[in-house]
Amino acid sequence: MAQTNEDSNNSVSPDIKANFSSVVAPLFSEHYLESCYPGLIFQQGKRTMLQINVPAKHLPILLQEKSSIKNNPDSGKNRPLVTGHAQEIKDYIVERAKGSKPYVIGTITANVDEQLIKIHNLGRGFCIVVIPSDIKLDITDGQHRKRAIQELIFSDESYLVGYDQVAITLILEGNLRQCQTDFRDMAQTKQLDKSLLLSFGEFEGRVGITKNLIEQVRMFQEKTNKIGKNASQKLIYTTNFIARFVSCVFAENTKDELKGYDVDKVSEVLSDSLNRFFLECKDTKDISETQTDKLTIHQAGAFRESSVLGVSAGLEVLGRLLHCIYDEDNNSFDEQKVSQLAQLDWSRKNSLWENNLVRKSASGDYEILNKPTPISDAVKTVKIRLGWM
């Protein structure tokens, strides 16, 4: 458990600390049978709100979920629990805590009628908040976080969060309809794009390898969209495309996190092979060697439309083929076979991709079939063409 550095508080004189304690201590003693917390009072949205920090083990006692049921939104103050979401949060906390890594539990928002609690206003926004033992706080936002922590508290792994505290923003609001409106308003956040989530991911496993490739492979350097939507049209790939490719190379599975891999070692050997591949492949040579500031939007768009290597499905095919020629024991790729792959015609019009990865539409366009079966069929077709099976 992190300890407060007393030296950082030496600007507060002992007299002030003593005076503060003389005011606060009696209040805690008076309410020793109730839940009592230091708090901050603030105004927002024409209402009074409180900010309190509570031990994680208090959450199951203090907070209650009033989720809507079946087809009746008015039966609760927030949405029905999403199956599996609380487990995802729980798994995240457990994985990080057991790995002695930092993690964050976001602020939970709840509401309560102001008449049901006691607020001792100490001035300047400081207060003591007293929540009687028979009063529950109704969750407005954070029900899945609360459920995840609750399951941990009641499990054999409670020690993982036993010393944690969780911030609660408490809206002094007793009106059900307003509480439902508050939930709706707080649910307006935009989900982060997968590429941005990966860009912010910890530097390990496939995330670390992906980040290295984006810097070390000329075809990816400054041509990869790291944030998702609304990026430059000159960018060809996304971080998510490359991450799926990396997982295919080493695990033949687009979702494998590649835990335990030596990120720098495998990144180096894969980067070398890819630079060789993209330089030898006639479909990618010019794009690979052209710096982004000299690459036109037309060139980038034409490449994406003409080559299977310009889309996620094509990268996945390449990744699965590289998996076939990767020697895990020696951490090396068969360079002769890398060159064989580079000599293939990766254009959409090549009959090699016909009836597997590419379908010609009625309008004459060559459409990519980004599905498991077409991708698997394309890999098999290439292996037969090259005599690998």
Side-chain angles (χ1 to χ4, degrees):
M1 179 179 67
Q3 300 292 327
T4 301
N5 184 353
E6 292 294 336
D7 292 338
S8 67
N9 299 323
N10 57 15
S11 60
V12 179
S13 71
D15 289 344
I16 292 177
K17 290 182 181 179
N19 289 335
F20 181 77
S21 296
S22 68
V23 173
V24 172
L27 293 174
F28 277 88
S29 296
E30 178 184 348
H31 301 290
Y32 73 97
L33 290 179
E34 300 168 297
S35 297
C36 191
Y37 309 100
L40 297 173
I41 305 174
F42 62 98
Q43 302 293 319
Q44 186 182 101
K46 299 181 179 180
R47 283 176 297 181
T48 300
M49 300 187 185
L50 307 174
Q51 182 83 42
I52 59 176
N53 297 315
V54 308
K57 63 183 179 181
H58 288 193
L59 294 188
I61 301 171
L62 279 178
L63 297 170
Q64 67 179 358
E65 305 154 20
K66 285 190 176 180
S67 303
S68 301
I69 57 174
K70 296 183 179 179
N71 194 36
N72 182 12
D74 290 330
S75 61
K77 293 186 177 180
N78 44 47
R79 65 181 175 182
L81 282 165
V82 177
T83 303
H85 187 32
Q87 184 63 44
E88 291 173 349
I89 297 172
K90 179 181 173 182
D91 291 343
Y92 157 74
I93 295 173
V94 170
E95 179 183 354
R96 303 290 296 182
K98 286 188 173 179
S100 298
K101 298 177 181 178
Y103 57 91
V104 60
I105 302 170
T107 301
I108 293 175
T109 305
N111 70 275
V112 69
D113 190 326
E114 185 174 2
Q115 304 302 317
L116 301 179
I117 64 173
K118 302 172 187 174
I119 304 171
H120 296 284
N121 195 333
L122 304 178
R124 296 288 185 174
F126 295 97
C127 66
I128 300 297
V129 181
V130 181
I131 304 172
S133 299
D134 60 341
I135 297 301
K136 298 285 188 182
L137 309 179
D138 295 325
I139 297 176
T140 303
D141 181 63
Q143 58 186 354
H144 296 92
R145 275 163 274 162
K146 182 260 186 182
R147 177 64 65 91
I149 295 169
Q150 178 173 305
E151 290 181 2
L152 276 173
I153 292 296
F154 292 148
S155 75
D156 293 336
E157 296 176 313
S158 60
Y159 66 93
L160 296 174
V161 294
Y163 292 102
D164 282 348
Q165 290 186 312
V166 180
I168 298 178
T169 297
L170 193 53
I171 305 173
L172 302 184
E173 178 64 66
N175 183 281
L176 172 60
R177 292 192 178 278
Q178 183 58 53
C179 293
Q180 290 177 324
T181 300
D182 290 342
F183 170 75
R184 181 206 64 191
D185 293 346
M186 296 189 71
Q188 300 301 315
T189 54
K190 179 177 175 59
Q191 185 177 10
L192 292 179
D193 189 275
K194 290 181 180 179
S195 287
L196 189 58
L197 287 173
L198 286 164
S199 296
F200 285 151
E202 188 167 3
F203 197 88
E204 63 179 21
R206 78 163 181 168
V207 173
I209 300 169
T210 297
K211 289 183 175 182
N212 276 341
L213 293 190
I214 292 172
E215 298 302 321
Q216 297 169 5
V217 178
R218 289 186 292 275
M219 188 68 183
F220 301 151
Q221 286 174 357
E222 299 182 357
K223 300 182 183 75
T224 300
N225 182 351
K226 302 176 185 178
I227 63 172
K229 300 178 178 61
N230 302 321
S232 168
Q233 289 180 301
K234 287 186 179 183
L235 303 179
I236 296 170
Y237 303 106
T238 71
T239 302
N240 188 46
F241 286 4
I242 299 174
R244 290 168 61 87
F245 161 78
V246 167
S247 293
C248 286
V249 172
F250 295 108
E252 209 173 14
N253 179 340
T254 59
K255 297 181 180 180
D256 197 294
E257 297 292 334
L258 304 179
K259 299 294 186 182
Y261 276 71
D262 186 321
V263 171
D264 290 332
K265 286 181 65 175
V266 299
S267 297
E268 181 179 5
V269 69
L270 180 55
S271 295
D272 289 344
S273 293
L274 286 175
N275 278 324
R276 177 176 179 176
F277 170 85
F278 288 126
L279 183 61
E280 293 183 8
C281 178
K282 66 179 182 64
D283 295 78
T284 58
K285 184 180 187 303
D286 290 342
I287 294 288
S288 175
E289 294 301 295
T290 302
Q291 295 182 348
T292 308
D293 58 348
K294 296 181 179 179
L295 186 68
T296 67
I297 293 176
H298 173 73
Q299 285 176 305
F303 173 71
R304 288 193 297 265
E305 291 298 321
S306 65
S307 176
V308 299
L309 292 173
V311 294
S312 178
L315 276 186
E316 184 175 335
V317 170
L318 177 60
R320 291 178 182 275
L321 289 167
L322 288 173
H323 177 78
C324 299
I325 59 174
Y326 176 62
D327 182 346
E328 185 173 2
D329 293 334
N330 296 310
N331 185 36
S332 64
F333 292 91
D334 186 324
E335 292 303 328
Q336 182 179 355
K337 291 186 176 180
V338 170
S339 291
Q340 287 182 335
L341 291 174
Q343 301 313 311
L344 292 173
D345 181 353
W346 290 84
S347 66
R348 298 193 188 194
K349 295 181 180 180
N350 184 7
S351 59
L352 183 66
W353 315 114
E354 189 177 345
N355 298 323
N356 50 63
L357 195 62
V358 177
R359 177 186 63 189
K360 191 172 182 179
S361 68
S363 62
D365 294 328
Y366 291 87
E367 299 177 344
I368 296 291
L369 301 177
N370 191 2
K371 296 180 180 180
T373 297
I375 289 172
S376 177
D377 289 344
V379 171
K380 184 177 180 180
T381 299
V382 172
K383 290 166 69 176
I384 292 174
R385 171 72 64 87
L386 297 178
W388 292 5
M389 61 181 302

